[in-house]
Coordinates of all heavy atoms in Angstrom, one line a residue:
N1 N 0.9 -1.2 0.0 CA 0.0 0.0 0.0 C 0.9 1.2 0.0 O 2.1 1.1 -0.1 CB -1.0 0.0 1.2 CG -0.3 0.0 2.5 OD1 0.8 0.5 2.7 ND2 -1.0 -0.7 3.5
R2 N 0.3 2.4 0.1 CA 1.1 3.6 0.0 C 2.2 3.7 1.1 O 3.2 4.3 0.9 CB 0.1 4.8 0.1 CG 0.7 6.1 -0.2 CD -0.3 7.2 -0.3 NE -1.5 6.8 0.4 CZ -2.5 7.6 0.6 NH1 -2.4 8.9 0.2 NH2 -3.6 7.2 1.3
G3 N 1.9 3.1 2.3 CA 2.8 3.3 3.4 C 3.9 2.2 3.5 O 4.8 2.4 4.3
G4 N 3.8 1.1 2.7 CA 4.8 0.1 2.8 C 4.3 -1.2 2.2 O 3.5 -1.2 1.3
V5 N 4.8 -2.3 2.8 CA 4.4 -3.6 2.2 C 3.9 -4.5 3.3 O 4.2 -4.4 4.5 CB 5.6 -4.3 1.5 CG1 6.1 -3.5 0.3 CG2 6.8 -4.6 2.4
I6 N 3.1 -5.5 2.9 CA 2.4 -6.5 3.8 C 3.1 -7.8 3.5 O 3.3 -8.3 2.4 CB 0.9 -6.7 3.4 CG1 0.2 -5.3 3.3 CG2 0.3 -7.6 4.4 CD1 0.1 -4.6 4.6
V7 N 3.6 -8.5 4.6 CA 4.2 -9.8 4.6 C 3.5 -10.7 5.5 O 3.1 -10.4 6.6 CB 5.7 -9.6 5.1 CG1 6.4 -11.0 5.1 CG2 6.5 -8.7 4.2
R8 N 3.1 -11.9 5.0 CA 2.4 -12.9 5.8 C 3.4 -13.8 6.5 O 4.3 -14.2 6.0 CB 1.5 -13.7 4.9 CG 0.3 -13.0 4.4 CD -0.8 -14.0 3.9 NE -2.0 -13.4 3.6 CZ -2.9 -13.1 4.4 NH1 -2.8 -13.4 5.7 NH2 -4.0 -12.5 4.0
I9 N 3.0 -14.0 7.8 CA 3.7 -15.0 8.6 C 2.6 -16.0 8.9 O 1.8 -15.9 9.8 CB 4.3 -14.5 9.9 CG1 5.4 -13.4 9.6 CG2 4.9 -15.6 10.7 CD1 6.0 -12.8 10.9
G10 N 2.4 -17.0 8.0 CA 1.3 -17.9 8.0 C 0.0 -17.2 7.8 O -0.2 -16.6 6.8
Q11 N -0.9 -17.2 8.8 CA -2.2 -16.5 8.8 C -2.1 -15.1 9.2 O -3.1 -14.3 9.0 CB -3.2 -17.3 9.7 CG -3.4 -18.7 9.4 CD -4.4 -18.9 8.2 OE1 -5.4 -18.1 8.1 NE2 -4.1 -19.8 7.4
V12 N -1.0 -14.6 9.8 CA -0.9 -13.3 10.3 C -0.3 -12.4 9.3 O 0.7 -12.7 8.7 CB -0.1 -13.3 11.6 CG1 0.1 -11.9 12.2 CG2 -0.8 -14.2 12.7
R13 N -0.9 -11.2 9.2 CA -0.3 -10.2 8.2 C 0.6 -9.2 9.0 O 0.1 -8.6 10.0 CB -1.4 -9.4 7.5 CG -2.2 -10.2 6.6 CD -3.5 -9.5 6.2 NE -3.4 -8.1 5.9 CZ -3.7 -7.5 4.8 NH1 -4.2 -8.1 3.8 NH2 -3.5 -6.2 4.7
G14 N 1.8 -9.1 8.6 CA 2.8 -8.2 9.2 C 3.0 -7.0 8.2 O 2.9 -7.1 7.0
F15 N 3.2 -5.8 8.8 CA 3.4 -4.6 8.0 C 4.9 -4.1 8.1 O 5.4 -4.1 9.2 CB 2.5 -3.5 8.4 CG 2.6 -2.2 7.7 CD1 2.2 -2.2 6.3 CD2 3.0 -1.1 8.3 CE1 2.3 -1.0 5.6 CE2 3.1 0.1 7.5 CZ 2.7 0.1 6.2
V16 N 5.5 -3.8 6.9 CA 6.8 -3.3 6.9 C 6.6 -1.8 6.4 O 6.4 -1.6 5.2 CB 7.8 -4.0 5.9 CG1 9.2 -3.4 6.0 CG2 7.8 -5.5 6.2
P17 N 6.7 -0.8 7.3 CA 6.6 0.6 6.9 C 7.7 1.0 5.9 O 8.8 0.4 5.9 CB 6.7 1.4 8.2 CG 6.7 0.4 9.3 CD 7.0 -1.0 8.7
A18 N 7.4 2.0 5.1 CA 8.4 2.4 4.1 C 9.7 2.8 4.8 O 10.8 2.6 4.3 CB 7.8 3.6 3.3
S19 N 9.6 3.4 6.0 CA 10.8 3.8 6.7 C 11.7 2.6 7.1 O 12.8 2.8 7.4 CB 10.4 4.6 7.9 OG 9.7 3.8 8.9
Q20 N 11.1 1.4 7.2 CA 11.8 0.2 7.6 C 12.3 -0.6 6.4 O 12.8 -1.7 6.6 CB 11.0 -0.6 8.6 CG 10.8 0.1 9.9 CD 12.0 0.4 10.6 OE1 13.0 -0.4 10.6 NE2 12.1 1.6 11.3
L21 N 12.0 -0.1 5.2 CA 12.4 -0.9 4.0 C 13.8 -0.4 3.5 O 14.0 0.8 3.5 CB 11.4 -0.7 2.9 CG 10.1 -1.5 3.0 CD1 9.1 -1.0 2.0 CD2 10.4 -3.0 2.7
S22 N 14.7 -1.3 3.1 CA 15.9 -0.9 2.6 C 16.0 -1.2 1.1 O 16.8 -0.7 0.4 CB 17.1 -1.5 3.3 OG 17.0 -2.9 3.2
S23 N 15.0 -2.0 0.6 CA 14.9 -2.3 -0.8 C 14.4 -1.0 -1.5 O 13.5 -0.3 -1.0 CB 13.9 -3.4 -1.1 OG 14.3 -4.5 -0.4
P24 N 15.0 -0.7 -2.7 CA 14.6 0.5 -3.4 C 13.1 0.4 -4.0 O 12.6 -0.6 -4.3 CB 15.6 0.6 -4.6 CG 16.0 -0.8 -4.8 CD 15.9 -1.5 -3.5
A25 N 12.5 1.6 -4.0 CA 11.1 1.7 -4.5 C 11.2 1.5 -6.0 O 12.2 1.8 -6.7 CB 10.5 3.0 -4.1
G26 N 10.1 1.1 -6.6 CA 10.0 0.9 -8.1 C 10.0 2.2 -8.9 O 10.5 2.2 -10.0
T27 N 9.4 3.2 -8.4 CA 9.3 4.5 -9.2 C 9.9 5.6 -8.4 O 10.1 5.6 -7.2 CB 7.8 4.8 -9.5 OG1 7.2 5.1 -8.3 CG2 7.2 3.7 -10.3
D28 N 10.3 6.7 -9.1 CA 10.9 7.8 -8.5 C 9.8 8.7 -7.8 O 10.1 9.5 -6.9 CB 11.6 8.7 -9.5 CG 12.8 8.0 -10.1 OD1 13.3 7.1 -9.4 OD2 13.2 8.3 -11.2
D29 N 8.6 8.6 -8.2 CA 7.5 9.4 -7.6 C 7.2 8.9 -6.2 O 6.6 7.8 -6.0 CB 6.2 9.3 -8.5 CG 5.1 10.1 -8.0 OD1 5.3 10.9 -7.0 OD2 4.0 10.0 -8.5
E30 N 7.6 9.6 -5.2 CA 7.4 9.2 -3.8 C 5.9 9.1 -3.4 O 5.6 8.4 -2.5 CB 8.1 10.2 -2.9 CG 9.6 10.2 -2.9 CD 10.1 8.8 -2.4 OE1 9.6 8.3 -1.3 OE2 11.0 8.3 -3.1
N31 N 5.0 9.8 -4.1 CA 3.6 9.7 -3.7 C 2.8 8.6 -4.5 O 1.6 8.5 -4.3 CB 2.9 11.1 -3.9 CG 3.5 12.1 -3.0 OD1 3.9 11.8 -1.9 ND2 3.7 13.3 -3.5
S32 N 3.5 8.0 -5.4 CA 2.8 7.0 -6.2 C 2.3 5.8 -5.3 O 3.1 5.3 -4.5 CB 3.8 6.4 -7.3 OG 3.2 5.4 -8.0
D33 N 1.1 5.4 -5.6 CA 0.5 4.3 -4.8 C 1.1 2.9 -5.1 O 1.1 2.0 -4.3 CB -1.0 4.2 -5.0 CG -1.8 5.3 -4.3 OD1 -1.2 6.0 -3.5 OD2 -2.9 5.5 -4.7
D34 N 1.8 2.8 -6.2 CA 2.3 1.5 -6.6 C 3.8 1.5 -6.6 O 4.5 0.6 -7.3 CB 1.8 1.0 -8.0 CG 2.1 1.9 -9.1 OD1 2.7 3.0 -8.9 OD2 1.9 1.5 -10.3
R35 N 4.5 2.3 -5.8 CA 6.0 2.3 -5.8 C 6.6 1.1 -5.3 O 7.7 0.8 -5.5 CB 6.5 3.6 -5.1 CG 6.2 3.6 -3.7 CD 6.7 4.9 -3.1 NE 6.1 5.0 -1.7 CZ 6.5 5.8 -0.8 NH1 7.6 6.6 -1.1 NH2 6.0 5.9 0.4
W36 N 5.8 0.3 -4.5 CA 6.3 -0.9 -3.9 C 5.9 -2.2 -4.7 O 6.2 -3.3 -4.3 CB 5.9 -1.1 -2.5 CG 6.1 0.1 -1.6 CD1 5.2 0.9 -1.1 CD2 7.4 0.6 -1.3 NE1 5.8 1.9 -0.4 CE2 7.2 1.8 -0.5 CE3 8.7 0.3 -1.6 CZ2 8.2 2.5 0.0 CZ3 9.8 1.0 -1.0 CH2 9.5 2.1 -0.3
S37 N 5.3 -2.0 -5.9 CA 4.8 -3.1 -6.7 C 6.0 -4.0 -7.1 O 5.7 -5.2 -7.3 CB 4.0 -2.6 -7.9 OG 4.9 -1.9 -8.7
N38 N 7.2 -3.5 -7.3 CA 8.3 -4.4 -7.7 C 8.7 -5.4 -6.6 O 9.4 -6.4 -6.9 CB 9.5 -3.5 -8.2 CG 10.1 -2.7 -7.1 OD1 9.3 -2.2 -6.2 ND2 11.4 -2.6 -7.1
L39 N 8.3 -5.1 -5.4 CA 8.7 -6.0 -4.3 C 7.6 -7.1 -4.1 O 7.9 -8.1 -3.5 CB 8.7 -5.2 -3.0 CG 9.8 -4.1 -2.9 CD1 9.7 -3.4 -1.6 CD2 11.2 -4.7 -3.1
Q40 N 6.4 -7.0 -4.7 CA 5.4 -8.0 -4.5 C 5.8 -9.3 -5.1 O 6.3 -9.4 -6.2 CB 4.1 -7.5 -5.2 CG 2.9 -8.4 -4.8 CD 1.6 -7.8 -5.2 OE1 1.5 -6.7 -5.8 NE2 0.5 -8.5 -4.9
G41 N 5.7 -10.4 -4.3 CA 6.0 -11.7 -4.7 C 7.5 -12.0 -4.3 O 7.9 -13.2 -4.3

């Protein structure tokens, strides 16, 4: 989502806020809703 990525630990959804990500965002536009799409999967 806009604020970071969701990671599942089994049935539980964990959230990694953008401030805690070291992987680069997909687009240069910081306000883009899909800047983390390259991390999905």
Side-chain angles (χ1 to χ4, degrees):
N1 60 30
R2 192 173 17 174
V5 298
I6 311 292
V7 176
R8 284 196 175 276
I9 298 180
Q11 299 280 322
V12 178
R13 292 168 38 126
F15 181 65
V16 185
S19 64
Q20 295 298 323
L21 284 167
S22 60
S23 300
T27 63
D28 293 336
D29 182 10
E30 288 297 313
N31 296 324
S32 174
D33 286 346
D34 63 349
R35 65 182 168 164
W36 307 115
S37 62
N38 64 324
L39 297 177
Q40 190 168 1

